[in-house]
Amino acid sequence: MLHTPTPDVVSPPALPRSLTPNGTTPAWRQFAAAAEPASGRPMIAIVLDDLGIDKRRSARAIDLTAPLTLAFLPYANDLTEQTERARSRGHELLVHLPMQPHGHDADPGPNVLDMNLGAEEVARRVDWSLKQFNGFVGVNNHMGSLFTENAQGMRIVAEAMRNNGLLFLDSVTTPKSVGEMTARSLGVPATKRDVFLDNTDTAAEVELRLAQTERVARATGTAIAIGHPRDATLNVLESWISKAKADGFVLVPLTAVLQARTGSGVQQAARP
């Protein structure tokens, strides 16, 4: 059975929304991490999900030298300290938004987005998640194989992204996801991952999937790979980062790939 939080969850004091003081620069640009110019080289963005709960492994991820994109679960503890350290190390931040999966054997955690709760409650939970820390460029889905297939639910998420100047990364936990398409239809900068690095938690699997990521980047110019703060994944990445650079790839934050894929990075809303 899905974990559903009690309705009396106490929200912390609201943090400033991820907008500039004059409201003219969207958060996904304001908080974008510095990116090395590609200069014709294929670009790879490594996104690490599920940050914040396991502090030892989260710290290992933060200590990696490349400009990574780190997705923090909004219900983790000490998020301000962890995310500020991540930004100081040159990484880019996402909110890893819990969404309802298919089946009942996976628990996405508190404040999961579930359309059975109604649109108003889903919107409240999105807002709650966006207030847990600051300095992020957007969100991606944590689980969500069921929720991301729901156009009404993803429209609620996309409207929050649009209203807060954020981007959306579709983790593609289901081939039927409408997340990227829905976000784009509302003018939200959006893209999707290409490769999962560690569906099998072994070094051999991570090495195989990084090679796949490299092939995608060489073929298309960009690649987005999603992994998790697991020892095997972190061990492989520690050695792979320098090798990838030597092999002619440039490792960049997510926003650099988004801009390369979309030109200005701004998707136009679909015409009626």
Side-chain angles (χ1 to χ4, degrees):
M1 185 174 181
L2 284 176
H3 179 104
T4 302
T6 56
D8 59 349
V9 172
V10 177
S11 298
L15 293 172
R17 288 304 181 94
S18 297
L19 297 171
T20 55
N22 62 14
T24 59
T25 303
W28 76 268
R29 289 188 184 276
Q30 179 190 1
F31 296 117
E36 180 183 352
S39 303
R41 293 171 293 170
M43 296 189 291
I44 295 176
I46 300 293
V47 180
L48 293 181
D49 286 349
D50 296 355
L51 272 290
I53 299 294
D54 184 332
K55 292 184 181 179
R56 181 182 70 82
R57 292 182 175 88
S58 295
R60 283 192 66 193
I62 291 170
D63 284 339
L64 290 170
T65 56
L68 306 178
T69 301
L70 303 181
F72 283 83
L73 290 162
Y75 50 80
N77 295 322
D78 302 320
L79 278 173
T80 298
E81 178 183 351
Q82 293 188 75
T83 57
E84 286 181 353
R85 181 167 175 268
R87 290 193 70 210
S88 74
R89 297 280 294 177
H91 303 306
E92 201 161 78
L93 306 183
L94 295 175
V95 177
H96 198 34
L97 200 58
M99 300 185 188
Q100 182 185 19
H102 281 287
H104 300 288
D105 58 346
D107 182 1
N111 274 331
V112 59
L113 306 189
D114 179 345
M115 285 307 297
N116 292 323
L117 301 172
E120 183 177 346
E121 176 63 12
V122 168
R124 188 197 71 79
R125 292 183 178 206
V126 173
D127 185 66
W128 182 90
S129 292
L130 297 183
K131 290 177 178 176
Q132 302 313 299
F133 63 96
N134 202 19
F136 48 86
V137 298
V139 310
N140 70 331
N141 52 294
H142 173 52
M143 300 190 187
S145 55
L146 179 57
F147 190 88
T148 59
E149 294 178 353
N150 186 302
Q152 181 187 2
M154 289 312 302
R155 184 176 181 86
I156 295 169
V157 174
E159 287 173 346
M161 300 305 96
R162 181 186 61 192
N163 294 341
N164 289 280
L166 300 167
L167 63 82
F168 179 71
L169 170 65
D170 195 334
S171 301
V172 196
T173 55
T174 169
K176 297 179 182 179
S177 174
V178 297
E180 181 189 18
M181 177 182 69
T182 303
R184 287 185 177 193
S185 74
L186 293 181
V188 174
T191 190
K192 62 184 178 181
R193 67 95 188 155
D194 300 296
V195 178
F196 271 130
L197 296 178
D198 49 13
N199 277 338
T200 302
D201 186 15
T202 66
E205 173 74 3
V206 178
E207 290 168 352
L208 177 69
R209 297 307 173 189
L210 283 171
Q212 179 185 358
T213 302
E214 292 177 2
R215 291 194 297 272
V216 171
R218 287 199 187 282
T220 67
T222 64
I224 298 170
I226 290 180
H228 300 84
R230 300 169 180 161
D231 287 330
T233 304
L234 296 170
N235 290 341
V236 172
L237 285 174
E238 283 173 349
S239 58
W240 174 82
I241 286 171
S242 58
K243 178 180 180 298
K245 294 177 180 179
D247 289 342
F249 297 95
V250 57
L251 304 183
V252 297
L254 175 64
T255 50
V257 170
L258 177 68
Q259 291 186 76
R261 289 180 173 182
T262 63
S264 67
V266 176
Q267 297 288 352
Q268 295 299 313
R271 294 182 180 274

